[in-house]
Amino acid sequence: MAEKRTEAHHQNAEGLDIQAPDAILSFLADAQIEAAKAVRGAIPAIAAAAEIVAERLKDGGRLAYAAAGSSGLMALADALELPGTFGIGRDRIAILIAGGDEAFRTLAGGPEDDTDEASAAVAAAGIGERDCLIAISASGSTPYAVAALEHARSRGAATIAIANNRDVPLFRSADVAIVLETPPELIAGSTRMGAGTAQKIALNMLSTLAAIHLGHVHDGYMVNLTADNIKLRDRAIRIVAAISGRGRDDAARLLEQSGGVVKTAILLAAGAANADTAEKILEGTGRKLRPALSALGHDPEKWNPLFGKDHALTKK
């Protein structure tokens, strides 16, 4: 019964294959919009999940994702972005997808029923009591996702479940259940569409809020990014310049002094004696920039020129 919503027939599906191309695309676009709206109802659960993820990462634990099929691809997209965007170490993230590496080439359906593979993957990743596992399944009953979550929980990990149906097996062992009640797919059961869109949005929201809790975002800037290419090095310079109020050349120089660490460069601009001093201040504030600025005697509310302040380095 729980699977009916994701397997149901869409009201606009009748005669879909004989509609004009523009009409078909309009139906598809509208279905995606409706699916995205479904995420709003899950905001309280997503907030609770983000707090758990942040707590586990802050305490030295890891974040794991477990899923199959298109849900696995949504998990993969979120997980792989976290190191570059928020500076979360790649060794702090585990991606468990049904079928293993072969899934990236074939995405075969069979492995999603393999509960033994799921349990083995959790054990091989060493998921334990310091960690958090997010399991994703559109139906909420995918055996791989359910087994991975149950095995992670048995090993003491915090568990978060994301599904597009209510009252499903995936939620039974979850600390937090995120229900994304998307409408039926325009192509019945093709959950890579609306359900996948809602999952991607929810994962984006969850991981971004967790990163904010960890102090990786300041006034909308990704101040913990890993600048490992030309684009991101340029972005790092622009972030330091924007927050500190310094010119681009100054920002580049400060970044060089900081070893490429954005927060450290900003604290150097704020008056920290050297990079070591800046690092000690950050360690004392949980690596959060706003209280670190306060520790240097600055009013962090006056550290964004976009708010019309005279200078980013205004003292209290």
Side-chain angles (χ1 to χ4, degrees):
M1 294 295 292
E3 291 185 7
K4 282 189 174 179
R5 191 174 186 91
T6 48
E7 296 292 335
H9 200 243
H10 194 281
Q11 61 182 359
N12 294 330
E14 194 70 32
L16 180 67
D17 50 301
I18 57 173
Q19 295 284 338
D22 285 0
I24 294 172
L25 292 175
S26 292
F27 288 145
L28 287 168
D30 289 343
Q32 292 284 296
I33 292 168
E34 289 305 309
K37 289 179 181 178
V39 180
R40 282 200 169 274
I43 284 177
I46 294 171
E51 188 169 354
I52 291 173
V53 170
E55 286 174 354
R56 295 302 169 108
L57 289 173
K58 182 180 178 181
D59 291 341
R62 291 173 299 152
L63 171 61
Y65 298 74
S70 59
S71 294
L73 298 181
M74 298 303 103
L76 183 70
D78 194 64
L80 292 182
E81 292 277 9
L82 298 184
T85 305
F86 298 123
I88 297 172
R90 297 186 187 280
D91 60 340
R92 309 286 300 284
I93 301 166
I95 306 167
L96 314 181
I97 186 167
D101 291 346
E102 185 62 28
F104 305 137
R105 292 182 286 273
T106 63
L107 209 63
E112 75 175 44
D113 296 331
D114 194 336
T115 57
D116 289 340
E117 181 196 336
S119 297
V122 170
I127 303 303
E129 60 185 14
R130 299 178 69 191
D131 306 321
C132 176
L133 181 136
I134 304 172
I136 309 107
S137 164
S139 68
S141 59
T142 303
Y144 182 94
V146 173
L149 186 141
E150 290 177 346
H151 194 59
R153 183 177 179 84
S154 74
R155 295 169 64 92
T159 53
I160 296 163
I162 300 176
N164 298 79
N165 291 294
R166 286 191 174 276
D167 303 320
V168 292
L170 192 66
F171 292 155
R172 291 173 191 161
S173 298
D175 294 313
V176 177
I178 298 173
V179 187
L180 306 173
E181 291 193 278
T182 48
E185 304 289 355
L186 196 60
I187 299 174
S190 184
T191 52
R192 73 184 183 91
M193 301 170 71
T197 293
Q199 290 171 4
K200 180 68 167 66
I201 294 171
L203 286 167
N204 283 165
M205 292 166 61
L206 197 168
S207 57
T208 299
L209 181 56
I212 290 171
H213 286 323
L214 290 167
H216 298 338
V217 178
H218 181 93
D219 286 339
Y221 291 109
M222 52 179 80
V223 290
N224 209 52
L225 65 80
T226 299
D228 57 2
N229 63 26
I230 293 171
K231 176 188 74 175
L232 292 178
R233 283 193 290 274
D234 180 70
R235 181 177 296 162
I237 291 170
R238 286 187 284 109
I239 289 170
V240 173
I243 296 177
S244 70
R246 299 291 188 94
R248 181 182 175 85
D249 290 344
D250 261 359
R253 177 180 56 79
L254 291 166
L255 266 173
E256 183 72 21
Q257 292 177 12
S258 73
V261 181
V262 170
K263 293 178 186 176
T264 302
I266 292 167
L267 292 184
L268 288 172
N274 50 51
D276 287 342
T277 299
E279 280 295 312
K280 288 177 182 176
I281 293 170
L282 283 170
E283 288 302 317
T285 62
R287 302 204 66 80
K288 293 185 176 181
L289 184 56
R290 201 172 295 276
L293 291 171
S294 293
L296 281 170
H298 293 282
D299 182 352
E301 296 302 319
K302 298 179 179 179
W303 263 72
N304 193 332
L306 297 177
F307 295 150
K309 306 301 182 183
D310 291 335
H311 194 280
L313 297 182
T314 303
K315 288 277 189 178
K316 285 183 178 178

